[in-house]
Amino acid sequence: MSTRLASLVIDATDPAAAAQFWYIMLGGTATPGRGGCHRLVAPDLGGCGLDLAFVPARWDKTAKNRIHLDLATESPHEYQVLTSLAADVGAVEVNVGQGPGVPWTVFRDPAGNEFCILEPGDLYHHTGPLAALVVDAVDPTRLATFWSAATGWPLVHTEENSAALRASERAGPWIEFLRVPDQRRGPNRIRLTLATDDESDASDLLTRGATEHGGAFHDPEGNEFRLVPSRVPT
């Protein structure tokens, strides 16, 4: 397959404010687009080529997102600085059931979408500021296998309750799939976009377990994603 991971689409009640928040957290270039959308182009995400697109929210948030971002830190000092910065620019610390003593802090960004700031750890050295894109999954290995084929990122870790992809063995972020028994409830506020130069890729994705309804694609666990020509903005 020739598909590649092109962008992460994030619902926000105020896309401009969301783009500004993530510009502060990740860098890049925040630019306005059509229909109230804003885009964070070329943030420093370890060379993975992933843009962030913020679009007007189509519904109210009613449950924890099934996809979220984890941010990396390289030292205890950087962890303290980044958590303080997030709060200073509009994030709110929350408890989503993570329990005491975990090596991360959970926040909601100004749009209400969860993300985590991780304490320093060997696994996330050399990722850049984005440690991982984390996906809740009923069957982590099955979902990771699908997304490995869809993105071209190798499946580098798999066990009963988790699986992970990484574009490079030594640098850049991970895509992690963690076992969460709860089924998806309602449309996702965070979605992936794939780009392709080959029209046959749509059929290949369906063969590998995706479904399509009215031009909208869903992965094997029902998570929405888009497939667009490489020449079209994602």
Side-chain angles (χ1 to χ4, degrees):
M1 292 176 62
S2 62
T3 49
R4 63 176 181 84
L5 185 58
S7 64
L8 188 66
V9 179
I10 301 174
D11 284 358
T13 52
D14 186 341
Q20 179 64 22
F21 173 85
W22 284 103
Y23 163 75
I24 294 170
M25 301 303 293
L26 295 175
T29 303
T31 61
R34 298 177 181 178
C37 300
H38 282 69
R39 181 176 296 274
L40 189 61
V41 179
D44 180 16
L45 300 185
C48 69
L50 182 68
D51 293 340
L52 276 62
F54 301 90
V55 301
R58 296 173 289 171
W59 52 81
D60 294 333
K61 187 172 185 292
T62 58
K64 172 183 171 291
N65 290 337
R66 293 188 68 81
I67 300 175
H68 71 269
L69 303 182
D70 279 357
L71 305 188
T73 59
E74 295 289 332
S75 68
H77 175 69
E78 185 182 0
Y79 176 77
Q80 292 297 328
V81 169
L82 196 60
T83 53
S84 296
L85 174 63
D88 288 344
V89 295
V92 177
E93 187 175 340
V94 295
N95 190 311
V96 294
Q98 65 267 31
V102 296
W104 61 80
T105 301
V106 183
F107 291 92
R108 287 196 178 105
D109 71 10
N113 297 312
E114 294 87 6
F115 70 97
C116 298
I117 298 178
L118 309 180
E119 293 180 3
D122 291 343
L123 184 63
Y124 302 108
H125 282 175
H126 309 300
T127 62
L130 179 63
L133 176 63
V134 183
V135 183
D136 292 354
V138 175
D139 185 338
T141 298
R142 180 185 182 217
L143 202 56
T145 300
F146 171 84
W147 281 104
S148 176
T151 61
W153 292 26
L155 178 60
V156 296
H157 160 83
T158 181
E159 57 183 34
E160 182 181 0
N161 292 317
S162 64
L165 318 178
R166 200 179 191 189
S168 167
E169 291 184 1
R170 298 185 179 181
W174 300 77
I175 304 178
E176 298 178 343
F177 301 84
L178 304 181
R179 186 178 300 279
V180 175
D182 297 336
Q183 296 285 343
R184 189 177 72 99
R185 292 182 292 171
N188 290 331
R189 288 169 59 93
I190 299 180
R191 305 171 296 280
L192 297 174
T193 296
L194 298 172
T196 182
D197 293 314
D198 188 341
E199 293 182 357
S200 69
D201 281 333
S203 296
D204 288 342
L205 289 166
L206 296 176
T207 300
R208 295 176 184 271
T211 57
E212 183 184 8
H213 303 285
F217 287 88
H218 297 76
D219 73 13
E221 292 197 4
N223 299 304
E224 304 92 337
F225 69 93
R226 292 197 306 158
L227 180 65
V228 301
S230 295
R231 63 183 179 277
V232 174
T234 57

